[in-house]
Amino acid sequence: MTDGVEVRGPLGERYDEILTPEALGLLAALQREFGARRKELLRARQERQERLSAGGTLDFLPETAEIRTDDSWRVADPAPGLEDRRVEITGPTDRKMTINALNSGAKVWLADFEDANTPLWANMIEGQLNLRDALDRTIDFTDPRSGKSYALKDDAQLATIVVRPRGWHMEEKHLLVDGEPMSGSLFDFGLYMFHSARRQLAKGKGPYFYLPKMESHREARLWNDAFNLAQDILEIPRGTIRATVLIETIPAAFEMEEILYELRDHSAGLNAGRWDYLFSVIKKFRDRGADYVLPERNAITMTAPFMRAYTELLVRTCHKRGAHAIGGMAAFIPSRKDPEVNKVALEKVRADKTRESTDGFDGSWVAHPDLVPVCREVFDGVLGDKPNQRDRLREDVKVSAADLLNFKATPGDITEAGLRNNIDVALRYLATWLDGAGAVAIHNLMEDAATAEISRSQVWQWIRNGVKLKEGETVTRELVERILEEELANIRTELGDAYNEPRYNEAVALFKQVTLADEYSEFLTTPAYVRFP
Ligand SMILES: CC(=O)SCCNC(=O)CCNC(=O)[C@H](O)C(C)(C)COP(=O)(O)OP(=O)(O)OC[C@H]1O[C@@H](n2cnc3c(N)ncnc32)[C@H](O)[C@@H]1OP(=O)(O)O
Ligand SMILES: O=CC(=O)O
Ligand SMILES: [Mg+2]
């Protein structure tokens, strides 16, 4: 037992290999050093929210202008395995998907403890075991249901692993340090560092991370300090870690350059996390009336002026500082059973990746192994043999604060079908999440924590602002409750024997909590997490 550390989660098979006294010692050191600062930064988010709800706005920070105008600094050179990132596959860390993702032909695998993951204790610990086993090449297994066997290809053919820990808002309630639940971010980061950093270095790569849902450069500084402490404790040189930051909140879009600067010795660039970005826009301006109400989710595309402003600025900022700019997730999922669905998905993804590669992104994300070839082909078209296009400076891009906040120019409506879709998708997703899976295909689209946040937040915002549907009816609690019952009945009929009554009952309760309550829940996953043992 490590002093002051209490493991509250059950100890499954081989958990002791992950929760060693030395690993717990690193977690305790990280939590003790940074736990209070994390809470302060979360309070700062709240204060900014209060200012926005009271009519304030967002702008580039005057106090950091010097960082933006100083042309002399650049981020670290790309680390081994991260020079060429033209295709990145994302996904959860269960055993089968770990092998499939590593074998997929993508350059990078984002091993996800965030949007695509339900933070069940078992998922968190077994995910770490799977990552470690993959590095030791002891992960081969046979699926007991299908009988299919899985094995890793040769190391040279495997994707580079980049781990995405949970965001700063999440806690790991199964691990108490001095009586308090520790930060989920530091838990995921610390365990991966402890078990996998040296293994990665032995393979000529390194401990690499994707950092989610940040709202300010001060949060990036916290990560940078955590990197330095972990590297010092583990006696790994500072600067070994590399981290790509997801720009996926609207406040962070105003601090891209400062975020790169804070992490410059550890930076591996920025990624345009479009789904959480949309969620953040809705969340931050949720109380601000009609001018801030976006069209229904499926109507908002990456060509909406405010989305273009954000992605164009991201490429410009990254390349100015020598950093990679990585594109986001097109949600269309291919099908091995339905050729028409497959064709549509491939066309949509091709169009999305074509826009990104033309804009100057150095690579992009896919959600499924069958999308790797199309993404690779599109980026091959602009990159050829070059590993990236960081030399495309995009000095033509001029983006103002008003461009980033230009929500009014977004084409699209709010219809009853849009409201029904938000309710239906949120219910199905919540039932899946509560069952332990954080990503699922619904109506041929990938759904994860970020997309579900958009659906439930739109419902809350439309009620709060008394939005009128295109058909004429005003969105009220009563209307949402009526449609909820209707959509639930449809799901029950469609699923038949597979309908899981208790799970859906729980999903309904959670949905009501996060859409009908006066008070807005900052994150869907916070009240959802309370429902786990
Ligand atoms: C907003 C954001 O943050 S985006 C990033 C976070 N979201 C994600 O990462 C989602 C990643 N994608 C997924 O989880 C999955 O693709 C899903 C849940 C959407 C669909 O999965 P499935 O229903 O299993 O798809 P499907 O049946 O077509 O899968 C075919 C095979 O590909 C595998 N596969 C599918 N997606 C992935 C993936 N992302 N990584 C690894 N393997 C995958 C499946 O395991 C399956 O393998 P098998 O043939 O050996 O059994
Ligand atoms: O994490 C990615 C996103 O789009 O959200
Ligand atoms: Mg996200």
Side-chain angles (χ1 to χ4, degrees):
M1 186 60 175
T2 309
D3 271 357
V5 175
E6 186 187 342
V7 177
R8 285 251 170 118
L11 288 181
E13 199 182 330
R14 298 184 59 210
Y15 284 24
D16 58 334
E17 293 176 33
I18 294 297
L19 301 168
T20 63
E22 296 78 13
L24 295 178
L26 176 64
L27 296 186
L30 288 166
Q31 175 64 16
R32 285 183 183 131
E33 186 64 28
F34 302 116
R37 241 172 91 193
R38 166 185 162 261
K39 286 196 171 160
E40 248 171 60
L41 289 168
L42 292 176
R43 277 195 295 277
R45 286 185 184 181
Q46 274 318 113
E47 283 157 22
R48 172 138 65 180
Q49 180 65 57
E50 281 158 27
R51 290 196 295 276
L52 285 175
S53 291
T57 192
L58 294 170
D59 206 342
F60 299 99
L61 305 180
E63 64 271 26
T64 51
E66 221 174 290
I67 292 172
R68 297 193 297 277
T69 51
D70 176 354
D71 281 337
S72 66
W73 63 270
R74 295 286 179 278
V75 303
D77 287 336
L82 292 178
E83 300 93 342
D84 184 337
R85 304 173 61 178
R86 66 190 71 199
V87 190
E88 303 196 340
I89 190 167
T90 67
T93 54
D94 65 65
R95 221 159 169 81
K96 180 178 89 168
M97 286 177 100
T98 296
I99 299 174
N100 281 342
L102 286 169
N103 284 347
S104 67
K107 293 283 183 188
V108 163
W109 170 41
L110 180 156
D112 203 4
F113 290 122
E114 240 284 340
D115 289 331
N117 176 57
T118 299
L120 273 176
W121 176 241
N123 289 352
M124 306 322 296
I125 303 299
E126 288 164 28
Q128 295 280 353
L129 266 170
N130 293 338
L131 290 169
R132 203 185 69 163
D133 288 351
L135 290 170
D136 289 344
R137 300 191 59 87
T138 55
I139 196 170
D140 304 3
F141 94 116
T142 303
D143 188 333
R145 275 174 303 182
S146 66
K148 191 171 157 187
S149 294
Y150 295 80
L152 290 177
K153 294 179 180 170
D154 292 343
D155 270 1
Q157 293 173 274
L158 301 183
T160 297
I161 298 174
V162 178
V163 168
R164 177 159 72 170
R166 283 170 281 186
W168 283 128
H169 59 292
M170 296 290 286
E171 290 183 344
E172 178 48 73
K173 65 183 175 189
H174 300 99
L175 204 289
L176 306 191
V177 176
D178 305 327
E180 280 202 33
M182 81 168 286
S183 148
S185 314
L186 295 176
F187 181 86
D188 303 340
F189 161 70
L191 286 180
Y192 183 69
M193 277 304 287
F194 187 85
H195 292 290
S196 298
R198 289 194 176 284
R199 286 177 161 84
Q200 286 285 17
L201 289 168
K203 285 179 182 284
K205 293 191 175 172
Y208 304 144
F209 298 92
Y210 252 112
L211 303 179
K213 294 183 171 60
M214 269 197 263
E215 298 202 2
S216 79
H217 69 288
R218 293 198 296 137
E219 296 180 19
R221 188 180 303 160
L222 183 57
W223 269 119
N224 199 64
D225 291 345
F227 290 172
N228 281 333
L229 182 65
Q231 288 169 137
D232 292 352
I233 291 176
L234 296 174
E235 298 179 0
I236 291 171
R238 288 186 173 198
T240 304
I241 291 174
R242 285 292 189 285
T244 307
V245 173
L246 285 134
I247 299 298
E248 54 178 354
T249 67
I250 178 110
F254 290 87
E255 300 184 32
M256 291 188 203
E257 220 154 339
E258 291 85 338
I259 288 171
L260 284 177
Y261 182 78
E262 292 295 343
L263 281 155
R264 61 196 177 283
D265 296 334
H266 295 114
S267 177
L270 303 178
N271 169 293
R274 62 179 72 167
W275 299 105
D276 267 309
Y277 192 77
L278 274 175
F279 160 49
S280 173
V281 167
I282 299 165
K283 167 156 85 175
K284 293 288 152 192
F285 295 101
R286 62 187 184 249
D287 298 313
R288 296 286 293 275
D291 284 354
Y292 292 86
V293 175
L294 295 173
E296 66 200 28
R297 195 187 111 166
N298 291 347
I300 311 168
T301 68
M302 293 308 288
T303 58
F306 77 101
M307 293 302 270
R308 276 221 55 75
Y310 141 69
T311 54
E312 291 277 86
L313 181 61
L314 190 144
V315 173
R316 160 118 180 77
T317 307
C318 284
H319 289 183
K320 177 178 168 193
R321 301 302 178 180
H324 278 78
I326 307 295
M329 184 63 83
F332 301 91
I333 293 294
S335 168
R336 294 180 182 174
K337 295 186 195 123
D338 185 331
E340 191 48 35
V341 168
N342 202 45
K343 183 166 164 271
V344 171
L346 291 175
E347 280 169 8
K348 297 273 194 192
V349 172
R350 181 178 295 278
D352 191 64
K353 302 306 147 198
T354 301
R355 178 187 45 73
E356 289 179 329
S357 59
T358 310
D359 285 348
F361 280 98
D362 299 289
S364 191
W365 279 12
V366 295
H368 190 289
D370 295 359
L371 296 172
V372 170
V374 66
C375 182
R376 185 173 43 223
E377 195 186 308
V378 172
F379 274 89
D380 283 354
V382 296
L383 299 180
D385 293 337
K386 285 193 324 185
N388 51 64
Q389 51 181 338
R390 288 181 297 143
D391 54 351
R392 269 196 70 199
L393 294 181
R394 294 300 319 270
E395 281 169 340
D396 56 306
V397 171
K398 304 270 178 288
V399 171
S400 65
D403 296 328
L404 290 171
L405 298 170
N406 183 11
F407 311 128
K408 260 176 105 171
T410 312
D413 295 317
I414 299 177
T415 63
E416 184 182 320
L419 176 59
R420 280 188 184 279
N421 183 61
N422 274 336
I423 294 172
D424 167 69
V425 166
L427 282 179
R428 289 177 196 255
Y429 180 75
L430 288 175
T432 309
W433 195 95
L434 292 165
D435 221 27
V440 60
I442 300 175
H443 309 316
N444 306 315
L445 295 180
M446 181 225 60
E447 299 291 342
D448 67 8
T451 61
E453 288 281 24
I454 298 171
S455 286
R456 69 92 188 183
S457 296
Q458 285 207 315
V459 175
W460 189 95
Q461 187 190 30
W462 295 349
I463 296 172
R464 162 62 61 110
N465 293 278
V467 164
K468 254 194 175 164
L469 299 175
K470 193 173 179 211
E471 293 84 352
E473 204 166 350
T474 300
V475 182
T476 58
R477 282 195 180 83
E478 294 67 35
L479 178 65
V480 169
E481 284 187 294
R482 177 167 65 72
I483 293 182
L484 171 64
E485 289 309 322
E486 291 169 8
E487 290 306 319
L488 194 62
N490 291 341
I491 295 172
R492 193 183 284 120
T493 307
E494 183 196 307
L495 295 184
D497 289 346
Y499 183 78
N500 183 335
E501 182 94 40
R503 239 347 141 238
Y504 269 94
N505 287 345
E506 234 185 325
V508 167
L510 186 52
F511 177 82
K512 288 187 174 173
Q513 185 180 351
V514 296
T515 56
L516 303 181
D518 278 340
E519 200 175 328
Y520 178 83
S521 295
E522 284 293 309
F523 290 96
L524 175 61
T525 42
T526 310
Y529 187 52
V530 172
R531 289 170 186 269
F532 288 151

